[in-house]
Amino acid sequence: MNASTITVKLFGTLRGKIESDQKVMISENETIRTVIERLAINPQAWYLYSVNGQHAKAETPLHDGDVLMIVPPISGG
Amino acid sequence: MMPPQLTDNKLERFKRQLTLSGYTKDHQIKLKNSTALIAGVGGVGGTTALYLAIAGIGSLKLVHSGVLTSSNLNRQILMKEDWIGKTRVDCAKATIHSIASGVQVDIYDERMTLENSDDFVCDVDVAISARPNFPERCALNSACVKSRVPMIEGAMFDMDAYLFSIKPGYTPCFHCLFKDADSRWQELEFPVLGALSGTLGCMMAIEAIKVITGYGQPLFSKMLLYNLAYMDFSTIAIRRDPDCPVCGALQVTEGVKE
């Protein structure tokens, strides 16, 4: 079976936690939550997630080629 | 009641925007008859206020507490060096009137709170959310949902910014997207380049004009995110949370056309 890979993008205060647009290998049945925990990004209730530009929940399964974005609230005004 | 017509002076002043494709005198009259609440007149909200004023909005309500400091001057374009120590809403009003004297400007040297936000939004056509902390943004969001006032939410950090427009009952409110505030956020510590906060303030002014006049398509159910260090722009299709404690009780609808 071919390995599956996704791209992870971080925003705002999360930038710098991992490389920008980091490629991450995933196994079967992985979700947003399991991937970000593996990246040592502590899932927070206030994060907004998107997969391929669509708003998603932490339990959303991930698939080869997906682009996951994690957006924390920011408040600079 | 017939809306007031534009005077010859106004037609001359706005003639370059009256030739925008699809933008008509009716749009301009709607803008003239409208009031925007600007929560925050710093790098973002001050820019929004300025561009709404010169676009021809009729009235602005400016809410921002505190006095001008030297470290505000890298981004807060309504302020001047010799005004350090003065109340910022007074400074903002003076600058706006020096550029667009016909705009009604009401000022409030206050923070947005759960207690006062309802009064601030009750008679406005749109609210601009540009305060540098979550409690004030959340208070404004709750008041806008309660009064069904459209709100433009824009925020920045470092070289990142995001922006979306809220039509209560139709599109996600702030709380639909962010269930809690980041408790580690430091109101006076975030890094900011004035040119970036200016871009965001300009885009928020454009969103407000679209929401008020019906011109174009606002960022309803859609979040724009960008990083200007890399000129990287993207959008996310965002959804209402039917269990949202702030707006979930409003009739759930299909959402407006993006």
Side-chain angles (χ1 to χ4, degrees):
Chain A
M1 180 183 158
N2 291 332
S4 296
T5 306
I6 65 166
T7 301
V8 180
K9 290 172 171 272
L10 302 182
F11 183 82
T13 50
L14 284 176
R15 278 192 194 274
K17 297 275 188 191
I18 59 171
E19 276 179 38
S20 182
D21 291 8
Q22 183 164 320
K23 304 289 184 191
V24 175
M25 304 271 284
I26 58 167
S27 52
E28 277 189 76
N29 302 319
E30 287 233 58
T31 65
I32 293 174
R33 185 183 301 281
T34 63
V35 167
I36 66 174
E37 283 175 346
R38 199 147 51 79
L39 294 172
I41 299 170
N42 194 20
Q44 301 287 354
W46 56 75
Y47 289 168
L48 181 155
Y49 305 108
S50 78
V51 177
N52 303 328
Q54 300 294 313
H55 194 177
K57 294 182 176 175
E59 295 71 32
T60 302
L62 295 168
H63 306 284
D64 187 40
D66 282 348
V67 176
L68 167 63
M69 184 177 242
I70 308 170
V71 182
I74 53 177
S75 195
Chain B
M1 190 174 86
M2 287 289 288
Q5 298 300 303
L6 296 171
T7 63
D8 288 346
N9 282 347
K10 295 288 186 196
L11 286 172
E12 175 63 18
R13 179 166 185 141
F14 301 120
K15 73 177 184 183
R16 297 295 297 274
Q17 66 199 50
L18 287 167
T19 57
L20 291 168
S21 57
Y23 189 86
T24 67
K25 279 187 200 173
D26 287 342
H27 293 115
Q28 192 64 42
I29 290 168
K30 282 183 185 170
L31 196 57
K32 181 176 182 291
N33 292 332
S34 296
T35 300
L37 168 67
I38 313 282
V41 294
V44 175
T47 306
T48 307
L50 177 63
Y51 277 94
L52 287 176
I54 64 173
I57 197 160
S59 177
L60 293 171
K61 290 170 83 172
L62 310 180
V63 182
H64 193 132
S65 63
V67 298
L68 180 64
T69 64
S70 174
S71 65
N72 300 145
L73 292 170
N74 80 320
R75 63 195 182 281
Q76 298 189 7
I77 56 165
L78 299 179
M79 309 297 152
K80 297 181 181 176
E81 284 180 1
D82 55 0
W83 287 348
I84 287 172
K86 290 185 181 297
T87 305
R88 266 180 289 194
V89 284
D90 284 324
C91 301
K93 181 176 181 177
T95 301
I96 290 168
H97 273 165
S98 73
I99 298 170
S101 60
V103 180
Q104 170 72 34
V105 181
D106 298 316
I107 56 175
Y108 305 88
D109 181 16
E110 296 178 46
R111 284 177 171 258
M112 303 293 301
T113 66
L114 290 171
E115 289 73 35
N116 67 15
S117 293
D118 289 345
D119 288 340
F120 282 130
V121 306
C122 67
D123 57 353
V124 304
D125 299 285
V126 68
I128 302 296
S129 174
R131 290 296 290 141
N133 61 74
F134 293 111
E136 289 189 79
R137 288 178 184 268
C138 292
L140 179 60
N141 178 65
S142 295
C144 285
V145 168
K146 203 182 296 181
S147 295
R148 308 267 185 141
V149 169
M151 178 175 119
I152 316 299
E153 171 68 22
M156 50 72 48
F157 174 84
D158 205 297
M159 294 300 280
D160 282 329
Y162 62 54
L163 168 66
F164 58 101
S165 296
I166 299 165
K167 184 175 182 180
Y170 292 85
T171 73
C173 79
F174 183 79
H175 199 274
C176 287
L177 304 186
F178 300 113
K179 301 303 175 200
D180 202 352
D182 185 344
S183 55
R184 299 161 299 186
W185 181 265
Q186 297 288 314
E187 176 172 346
L188 301 177
E189 300 296 328
F190 60 90
V192 50
L193 180 68
L196 184 136
S197 53
T199 62
L200 180 59
C202 286
M203 284 196 274
M204 292 175 78
I206 291 172
E207 282 297 292
I209 290 168
K210 290 191 292 185
V211 166
I212 289 168
T213 65
Y215 175 72
Q217 291 184 350
L219 280 165
F220 285 147
S221 299
K222 191 187 289 186
M223 175 187 275
L224 171 68
L225 306 100
Y226 60 87
N227 177 279
L228 294 190
Y230 299 96
M231 289 299 174
D232 184 17
F233 289 72
S234 59
T235 57
I236 296 173
I238 49 178
R239 293 193 311 265
R240 286 189 74 192
D241 175 4
D243 298 321
C244 175
V246 176
C247 79
L250 295 185
Q251 185 180 3
V252 177
T253 63
E254 285 297 310
V256 296
K257 186 180 176 186
E258 291 173 5

